[in-house]
Amino acid sequence: MKKIRDAINGVDLRRFRFLLQLFFFVLLVYGGYFAVNLGQSLPTFACGFNDAGRGGICYLLPLQHQLAMSWGTLFGWAGLMVLQGFLFFALWFFILNKGWCGYICPLGTIQDWITSLRTRLGVRYSRYTEGQFRRLSLIKYLLLALMILIPLGIGGALLPHDMGTPFCDICPGRMIIPMFTGDFSQLTIDFSTKTTMVMTALGMLVTGLFLAGAFFKKRFFCFFCPMSALHYLLSKPALLKLKKDGAKCTRCGDCYRVCDMEIREIADEVKEPRIMQDDCIMCLKCVAHCPEQGALKATFAGIPIFESTEQGFIKRMTKGHHDEHKPQ
Amino acid sequence: MNTNPSEATAPAYNRSRQAREAETLLDRIQDDFPDNPQAMRYFYDLFRRVYCQGEPVKHEGTLVGTTCIHAPEELIYAFGATPVRLCNGSYHYDQIGADFMPAKSCPLVKATLGSLHAKAAVPDTKSLELIVNPTTCDQKTKASAMIEAMGYRVHDLELPPAKESEEARLYWQRSVRRLALRLRELTGRKLTRNNLRQAMARTARAQTAFRTLHQLRKSAPALFLGKDAFLVTNAYFFDDLDRWTAAVERLNAELQLRQMEGFQAAQKRAPRILFTGSPPIFPNLKLPLLIEEAGGVVVADETCSANRMLYDMTAVDEWLLNDMVDGLADRYLKPCTCPIFTRNDDRQRRLLQLAADFHVDGVVYQAFAGCQVYEMEYRSIADVLAAQGIPMLYVETDYSPDDMGQLSTRIEAFLESIKTRKRNAR
């Protein structure tokens, strides 16, 4: 048992994550070709616009559709349907918590690939300043609110119908993910009405920003992701958890400096054991880069599954010291 | 650097005073205790050769002195230079250095100044081409100009007085990058991803060896004595990095073997002591040695001549120069429990955790007379430990041997009270 535990805690997390992310990318982006259908309540960007290949659908698409029903329908029996969808979404989410972001989200995986490309080219990353970070962190809640209010407004005939699924319009996933199955049709500006024109143009802009941003900033888009905001609101009862034992922490900051999401609390907070913050993507890099035995750990239903250890840390860093060719 | 003022004490006399001090201590460390580990012989011999016989330690490239643990040595190694830590523990140099500082100053700073001022100091200061002086406490900060006046080249490595804020972190990262530029100028070499990574691999191996030794000291009854542990970490100040690491790895292997055989380095009920405060630096191992001569055993420490210098390790996410240098900067600032920083919660937590992990019975707090920051933190540390029911002995001392008698009485009384407590607890 101890051997198995040591092997897990000493895992080469980078490699493990790469393989797992690749697996889920194939499952969600090409799964449709193999008759995979995980439903339409997935708590991750399995883009529904990827008609042919999708192995499931991102919950935000049906959610916006449903909320745009006329108020009479929505607040009647159809409301139950909406609740049912939300329930499935929540159940999926509870299993992995934000692990959906760090291990499954295809858009997140694409950003990690772009990061790999950057490090291979030897280009350094950029970081936000602390002030920028605090402000940017709020945008995702704003997007989440708009994503709910705009469809509701449409349903109440307060807003024009052609705003349809406003977040999908500006989501870079809609343009980028279908391209992986050879569908470039989303990469256009829709000139049918003024609203669609504005929204799709905005979408183009965001996609451009996404590609450029992700090149310089690790997980650039995740700071703004309304799905991440929705996740955080539900994260308390989730089964996968990130925990910290503050007494064992030396506040060396190793976890903070490897954090793609620049979450300072992971290093500085020593009182609250439930350490997961709203921006967290549960990639568990912090656990892998913590040299203190048991200071950080991921637990599933209360059982520790991956824990920081001195040996694991040394093993992973030694690999970095001796990897001759790859900077990452 | 050969431009030391000529009024310094004559070399022969100097060496003999220093050598006698070292020799007396080494004799006590070696002869007062039975069953010293075989692998410790390397360190005993090393100190005898260097301190008693004045044998120079060979070094590669430019020799760069550092006056504090905040100077990132990986950078120095990466430029093909060799760092040597100048913090000095000799009473002889303390007396020479007294000319530079006010009467009530830290003996460590005075001894460092004294050794730099003296002509034939040990470890060798003649060939220093640069001294990196982190602006830590007031005394070290002000020493900078004095060292420069002696004819050395000094780089003030600017350290923020707080470490919590992001501003402090960024300021320090810039400060470390500026040091890299200075080293490039000095050595005429370039800092590359590969040479920095190699340097980091070397120190990481040394830190790993230290951590293994550190973990071995958890075993109860004690496997290894603190007087030897301090000698090992003190050797890190000046010894060849790879040779030092290999010697520690040999020592670890021997201790692991001894552990399997059920070896005991001290009595089963010997009080287990956690040492904190001003750093014991060779040949001033007065206090740890007195503790162990009186039947206690120093199982762990929280000082900048041992644990704080070697324990924390650097994490790197992307093996690119910027991330490596910033990672190093973080490692030298964030986990540091030096009392010069505004707050000391990290030090309190570290002490409590060490006390729990190492089954500590009591804490000995050494404050050098004149080291204000340690003196000022005494109260807060005493309160935190008292709240946990851990007894503490606060000792204000300096490098002079005059208080040995008085100290050994106090230490014996402290250890005796711990033993009584333990007996009553049973």
Side-chain angles (χ1 to χ4, degrees), chain A residues 29 103 146 170:
Chain A
V29 178
Y103 285 84
L146 287 176
I170 61 160

Side-chain angles (χ1 to χ4, degrees), chain A residues 284-297:
Chain A
L284 306 184
K285 271 166 77 178
C286 50
V287 182
H289 288 86
C290 172
E292 301 308 316
Q293 196 81 32
L296 285 173
K297 63 175 85 145

Side-chain angles (χ1 to χ4, degrees), chain A:
Chain A
M1 195 62 200
K2 195 185 168 290
K3 261 196 180 153
I4 300 172
R5 191 148 278 190
D6 284 349
I8 293 174
N9 293 336
V11 72
D12 179 352
L13 188 77
R14 205 189 289 276
R15 209 181 143 83
F16 173 74
R17 251 189 95 203
F18 175 78
L19 293 174
L20 209 57
Q21 282 182 308
L22 186 66
F23 170 76
F24 282 114
F25 189 85
V26 171
L27 186 76
L28 293 179
V29 178
Y30 297 102
Y33 296 122
F34 308 102
V36 174
N37 185 2
L38 298 176
Q40 52 168 5
S41 300
L42 293 182
T44 194
F45 284 169
C47 188
F49 291 89
N50 172 25
D51 289 320
R54 66 192 187 195
I57 297 176
C58 166
Y59 176 60
L60 298 187
L61 178 65
L63 177 70
Q64 291 173 86
H65 268 306
Q66 289 164 356
L67 292 178
M69 288 186 289
S70 75
W71 284 4
T73 327
L74 183 64
F75 295 113
W77 284 105
L80 283 180
M81 188 183 76
V82 179
L83 282 181
Q84 187 210 32
F86 187 75
L87 189 73
F88 281 131
F89 165 78
L91 286 177
W92 276 118
F93 173 72
F94 284 154
I95 306 172
L96 283 181
N97 203 350
K98 287 197 162 213
W100 284 97
C101 308
Y103 285 84
I104 301 180
C105 179
L107 211 52
T109 303
I110 292 170
Q111 292 179 83
D112 289 341
W113 290 344
I114 296 175
T115 298
S116 279
L117 175 73
R118 171 177 58 73
T119 50
R120 262 155 224 263
L121 294 175
V123 178
R124 61 169 60 187
Y125 55 70
S126 0
R127 287 174 82 90
Y128 293 128
T129 66
E130 204 182 7
Q132 284 168 340
F133 178 80
R134 298 274 164 241
R135 279 190 298 267
L136 291 176
S137 233
L138 297 174
I139 292 180
K140 59 181 172 299
Y141 292 104
L142 184 72
L143 287 177
L144 177 65
L146 287 176
M147 189 190 83
I148 289 168
L149 292 177
I150 294 175
L152 280 178
I154 296 169
L158 304 170
L159 288 169
H161 222 278
D162 47 9
M163 272 187 106
T165 47
F167 178 68
C168 292
D169 286 348
I170 61 160
C171 175
R174 179 178 63 87
M175 295 195 181
I176 292 170
I177 293 174
M179 286 201 266
F180 280 87
T181 56
D183 175 6
F184 292 84
S185 64
Q186 296 295 332
L187 208 62
T188 45
I189 293 180
D190 182 352
F191 285 97
S192 40
T193 66
K194 237 186 236 170
T195 323
T196 57
M197 207 172 85
V198 171
M199 290 304 279
T200 49
L202 208 56
M204 289 281 253
L205 183 70
V206 172
T207 304
L209 281 176
F210 171 87
L211 292 171
F215 187 78
F216 292 107
K217 177 83 195 71
K218 294 186 264 188
R219 289 280 181 151
F220 169 78
F221 185 74
C222 304
F223 290 90
F224 314 111
C225 178
M227 180 73 97
S228 162
L230 188 58
H231 280 176
Y232 187 62
L233 299 177
L234 300 175
S235 66
K236 275 220 167 129
L239 292 173
L240 186 66
K241 281 193 165 64
L242 183 61
K243 289 204 176 134
K244 176 165 176 179
D245 183 346
K248 291 178 177 156
C249 174
T250 62
R251 296 220 284 187
C252 67
D254 282 356
C255 49
Y256 169 44
R257 67 162 303 98
V258 302
C259 180
D260 290 353
M261 302 304 293
E262 301 185 33
I263 297 168
R264 265 193 79 177
E265 285 83 351
I266 188 72
D268 288 357
E269 175 64 56
V270 287
K271 295 199 175 80
E272 174 61 46
R274 277 201 303 220
I275 194 72
M276 202 190 78
Q277 305 293 313
D278 59 352
D279 285 311
C280 179
I281 55 169
M282 271 208 169
C283 60
L284 306 184
K285 271 166 77 178
C286 50
V287 182
H289 288 86
C290 172
E292 301 308 316
Q293 196 81 32
L296 285 173
K297 63 175 85 145
T299 63
F300 189 82
I303 304 158
I305 52 167
F306 181 47
E307 200 172 13
S308 60
T309 58
E310 190 174 72
Q311 290 313 316
F313 173 87
I314 290 170
K315 204 173 141 193
R316 284 181 278 263
M317 278 303 124
T318 310
K319 190 166 185 302
H321 290 133
H322 297 288
D323 247 350
E324 284 303 319
H325 308 292
K326 289 172 283 176
Q328 187 172 31

Side-chain angles (χ1 to χ4, degrees), chain A residues 14 118-119 124-125 130 218 246-247 249 251-252 254 256-257 264 285 291-292 310 320 323-324 327, chain B residues 164 166 169 197 204 211 215 311 313 315-320 322-323 326-327 330 334 346 349 353:
Chain A
R14 205 189 289 276
R118 171 177 58 73
T119 50
R124 61 169 60 187
Y125 55 70
E130 204 182 7
K218 294 186 264 188
C249 174
R251 296 220 284 187
C252 67
D254 282 356
Y256 169 44
R257 67 162 303 98
R264 265 193 79 177
K285 271 166 77 178
E292 301 308 316
E310 190 174 72
D323 247 350
E324 284 303 319
Chain B
E164 268 81 10
E166 194 64 10
R169 180 171 171 256
R197 188 158 59 177
R211 274 194 178 230
Q215 303 293 0
Y311 182 77
M313 298 184 77
V316 174
D317 185 30
E318 296 177 358
W319 294 90
L320 297 174
N322 72 313
D323 200 40
D326 287 354
D330 278 0
K334 298 296 282 183
D346 284 349
R349 290 186 313 107
Q353 191 60 30

